[in-house]
Amino acid sequence: MPRTGAGAGQQRGRWRPRLDRPALVALLLGLAGVGYRLFLVLDTVPVSNSDEATFGLAALHIAQGREHPVFLYGQRYMGMAQSYLAAPLIAVAGPSWPVLRLPVLVLYALFLWLIHRLTRRIGSPWFATAIVGLLALGSERVIRDQVTTVGGRPEVKVAVLAMLLVVVGLARGTVRRRRLAVGAFGLLAGVALWSDWLIAPYLAAAGLALAWALRRELLGWAGTLLVAGFAVGIAPMIRDNLVAPPGQDSLSVLRTVSSGSGAAPPWSQRLGGGLLEGVPLAAGLCPVDGCARWQAWFGLLYPVLLVGAAVLAVVAYRRATGRRDRVAPVVHLALLAGAALTLLAYVRSPLAATDPLGNARYLSVLQLSLPAVLWPLWTAAVAGWRGAVGVAGRLVGALAAAVLVALAAGSLVVTVLFVTAGAAPGRTEERHARELAATVRAAGLREVYGEYWTCNRLVFNTAEEVVCGVLDDNLHPGQNRYPAYWWRLARAQRPGYVLAADAPADRRLRELLGDRAGAAQLAEVGGYRVYHPPEPLRPWR
């Protein structure tokens, strides 16, 4: 009997793994995707920034035993799992952007492997290969979410896929230690929720799928281990929230961040930002600077695909008998519910209308639902290709195949454009950031003031040889995520200033220095000016 999946074979008494053709092609595509991202990681593409540097500094502090943060410095809603993963590497190799990003790259590889396994179990082998091929591609928006250390999304996607694989194994009876598997499900859910609240819709949907698979089993030890595992996973967040000042707990902070300021934009603008910009950007169909009108087609089609896939899953569930056969449509429905709730939560926020380009990253978790969203197109295309349907069915199949080809071709074109031209500005900016760090060190400066997007990246690039206090455009205290740096600057006798040339903060400093501005300026490099006045200028005092 031919093999239908990856397995193992015996030849001359030796065991060796054996892959069928779809699995082998998926492996090659996955290796290409990982290799593409490894090349970008080693080249520090996409460009680093101060948010990512904050995770890197936290990893450095963890490696040195100085800090054990629960949330990202300066906020209480983004878990630090990525910093803890990077800490051992930084302890050995020292702080650098490739070292910081390597654990996230491993999470991407694990994501590909798990989504392939899940798609084979709820779809078909060649469909799983196609999903891996699509996810191996990557525009700048997609790559930034997959290889930069900015918290949350890479690890929570891995957690959800592992949880759904547990559900499939429990329903089909392929999991031997069922109670331990349920406990692991709870642990993954707790860690994921601590790491990034955005995954909550998928966790709720996966939890319902687990309840369907176990039913009365949850009333015994399985339920106890589920709750215990979840409590262990979410314990860091609970502990931090118990000691948080009033209004600084995770829910309050998230409510403030997501609500925005000013009057709420109308639903039409939020839907437009979410569907016409957010969904195509998250799918990798647009460059990072936005979608052209013709690139927004997938966003318009996405709600239709969600509804069509849900109807198909319900029909498949009604036709199947027993949990073993019904678990596939149940998992499809869980993935579709997670996508729908995530999209609904996104378009409810004013940020979907006010800054769709900057906030499309919050829809990156929709990649989890790709196997469920595209399954109706795949089944229609395959049925039409095999001639198993009538004329109308073949027409529908041809249209479905055209949509799949357009999706793959669009992703490929944007990926090629990013690699060949889109990455160049980031490489230039990264080189300037390194030159700036070298210039500041060579000048003998160890305490400097700067803007938010300058400070922590400078500190990380100098491995904390230079510390930086954040100022706003008026040279007043800005968003200082790590207060220890600010207090060290407060004690500095003669701090320097590193400011973007001709930016508001730079103009304000030159105004305060007056005729001394030229003498105080040490260098101008990469669009930044480095100053070292004879006495500190702290206008907020």
Side-chain angles (χ1 to χ4, degrees), residues 145-182:
D145 291 325
Q146 291 175 340
V147 303
T148 58
T149 306
V150 291
R153 293 173 289 278
E155 61 266 34
V156 299
K157 290 189 288 187
V158 168
V160 168
L161 291 173
M163 291 162 63
L164 291 175
L165 281 168
V166 168
V167 171
V168 173
L170 290 170
R172 292 179 175 169
T174 57
V175 176
R176 294 181 181 179
R177 300 182 178 180
R178 297 174 66 86
R179 293 175 180 175
L180 290 180
V182 175

Side-chain angles (χ1 to χ4, degrees), residues 83 99 214 217 224 311 341 356 386 388 432-433 437 468 485 505 511 527:
S83 293
V99 169
L214 292 181
E217 284 186 71
T224 302
V311 171
L341 291 172
R386 291 176 176 174
H432 288 164
C468 186
Y485 296 154
E511 177 185 335

Side-chain angles (χ1 to χ4, degrees), residues 235-384:
M237 185 176 75
I238 293 176
R239 178 185 176 279
D240 188 86
N241 277 267
L242 288 175
V243 300
Q248 292 299 310
D249 59 281
S250 299
L251 282 175
S252 299
V253 173
L254 271 176
R255 193 179 300 116
T256 301
V257 171
S258 61
S259 62
S261 58
W267 269 98
S268 59
Q269 292 183 16
R270 286 180 277 171
L271 284 172
L275 293 178
L276 303 183
E277 291 279 0
V279 171
L281 276 167
L285 294 172
C286 306
V288 73
D289 56 354
C291 300
R293 286 184 178 272
W294 64 270
Q295 292 173 314
W297 65 270
F298 188 65
L300 292 173
L301 186 61
Y302 197 81
V304 179
L305 291 175
L306 284 177
V307 174
V311 171
L312 185 65
V314 170
V315 171
Y317 181 87
R318 292 174 64 87
R319 290 177 177 176
T321 57
R323 273 184 281 186
R324 183 179 183 86
D325 294 331
R326 284 181 163 178
V327 68
V330 166
V331 171
H332 273 266
L333 288 171
L335 291 173
L336 294 169
L341 291 172
T342 298
L343 191 55
L344 178 61
Y346 180 73
V347 298
R348 285 184 71 247
S349 170
L351 299 177
T354 57
D355 187 14
L357 299 183
N359 293 288
R361 64 187 185 275
Y362 297 129
L363 294 178
S364 67
V365 294
L366 294 182
Q367 291 176 345
L368 287 166
S369 299
L370 211 57
V373 172
L374 299 184
W375 179 240
L377 296 175
W378 181 267
T379 55
V382 169

Side-chain angles (χ1 to χ4, degrees), residues 16 233 275 333 360 437 469 502 512 526:
R16 65 186 182 91
L275 293 178
L333 288 171
D502 295 320
L512 292 175

Side-chain angles (χ1 to χ4, degrees), residues 178-259:
R178 297 174 66 86
R179 293 175 180 175
L180 290 180
V182 175
F185 183 103
L187 179 64
L188 288 170
V191 171
L193 194 59
W194 160 54
S195 190
D196 193 344
W197 279 72
L198 291 175
I199 204 62
Y202 281 93
L203 297 181
L208 290 175
L210 179 72
W212 171 88
L214 292 181
R215 302 181 188 183
R216 291 185 178 180
E217 284 186 71
L218 285 176
L219 299 178
W221 278 106
T224 302
L225 290 175
L226 175 67
V227 174
F230 182 78
V232 171
I234 205 172
M237 185 176 75
I238 293 176
R239 178 185 176 279
D240 188 86
N241 277 267
L242 288 175
V243 300
Q248 292 299 310
D249 59 281
S250 299
L251 282 175
S252 299
V253 173
L254 271 176
R255 193 179 300 116
T256 301
V257 171
S258 61
S259 62

